[in-house]
Amino acid sequence: MESSRSRLLPALAALLVLVGCGGDPGAEAPRTEPAPAQAEQSAAESADPAATGTPAEAALAVALRAADLPPGWTVQANPVPNGDLSRNPSLQGLCGVTFSSESHRTAKFPSVGLNPAGDPAVVSEAIAYDSATAGALALTELRDAFRSCPAQDRSFLPPPAIDGLAENVVVVRYQLAGGITQDVVAQGRGAVVSVLIAEDPAAGAMAARSIATRMAALPAPAIGL
């Protein structure tokens, strides 16, 4: 029987390519051993946002967790190998745009939400930057990138109305050529940004609200405010 990990990682790579409005469909997905993935997800699940002291700790506290999603869903972390971000972009290349904010990242925590059938339907990254200015810049660059993104194989639709999000937010919905609709919800506070991509609109909105609640609880000094 195919393992959940072998199903999950190629699907994650596909989702990231789709949201990138281009890119290399043959790019290999990040590979992570189960033990580090389990350890990082356990740390994320138990992290108290109010007790964080650095942007990296704050990003971990707002990383996707099972409680953010409907009952029966699970979450798998996909840790960055050795924490090396140099070859592990977050937004770089999306819509063919260069993101200067990428060089200001200090940590990130990618994860995938699987529905009760075991299908990856939500992907997320919680990203720490070296300053609140860099975090805000990332969202500005993301907003501008989507505005200039060539239609080609996707059609942009009216974005979903999701209440309870952070003050600085980017929300986009588009339909791919194959008929799949994806929602992108990116929100930030200070030096921390959460980017979420969902093929299940209700689950994506639920997770985004839950993440926003934890983001609001982050101490201002921990996120450069």
Side-chain angles (χ1 to χ4, degrees):
M1 178 181 294
E2 185 182 23
S3 70
S4 60
R5 177 174 178 271
S6 63
R7 293 197 309 270
L8 174 62
L9 294 179
L12 171 61
L15 283 173
L16 292 179
V17 167
L18 291 177
V19 78
C21 298
D24 179 10
E28 185 176 2
R31 297 187 180 276
T32 307
E33 293 301 321
Q38 292 172 6
E40 183 165 295
Q41 190 58 41
S42 177
E45 296 280 352
S46 61
D48 178 1
T52 58
T54 67
E57 291 176 357
L60 179 63
V62 301
L64 185 68
R65 55 180 71 176
D68 297 333
L69 296 164
W73 286 60
T74 57
V75 173
Q76 178 178 317
N78 286 284
V80 177
N82 302 315
D84 182 7
L85 300 179
S86 61
R87 295 188 177 184
N88 204 307
S90 294
L91 304 174
Q92 179 64 29
L94 189 150
C95 297
V97 172
T98 297
F99 284 71
S100 60
S101 56
E102 289 284 279
S103 64
H104 294 278
R105 296 174 303 150
T106 59
K108 73 171 187 173
F109 302 96
S111 52
V112 181
L114 293 90
N115 64 22
D119 302 318
V122 175
V123 293
S124 177
E125 278 196 9
I127 310 167
Y129 293 86
D130 58 17
S131 68
T133 299
L137 175 62
L139 288 172
T140 296
E141 291 179 328
L142 179 61
R143 191 176 292 111
D144 291 344
F146 275 124
R147 286 172 178 163
S148 63
C149 194
Q152 295 180 346
D153 60 346
R154 74 204 65 240
S155 301
F156 285 89
L157 306 172
I162 306 174
D163 58 8
L165 300 181
E167 183 175 346
N168 193 358
V169 63
V170 179
V171 181
V172 174
R173 171 175 286 173
Y174 52 79
Q175 186 176 63
L176 301 169
I180 296 174
T181 298
Q182 293 182 335
D183 290 345
V184 180
V185 182
Q187 53 188 327
R189 180 168 175 253
V192 171
V193 171
S194 165
V195 182
L196 182 147
I197 309 163
E199 290 188 356
D200 184 312
M206 178 179 176
R209 291 190 192 98
S210 185
I211 289 169
T213 298
R214 292 200 300 281
M215 191 172 281
L218 298 171
I223 52 176
L225 295 176

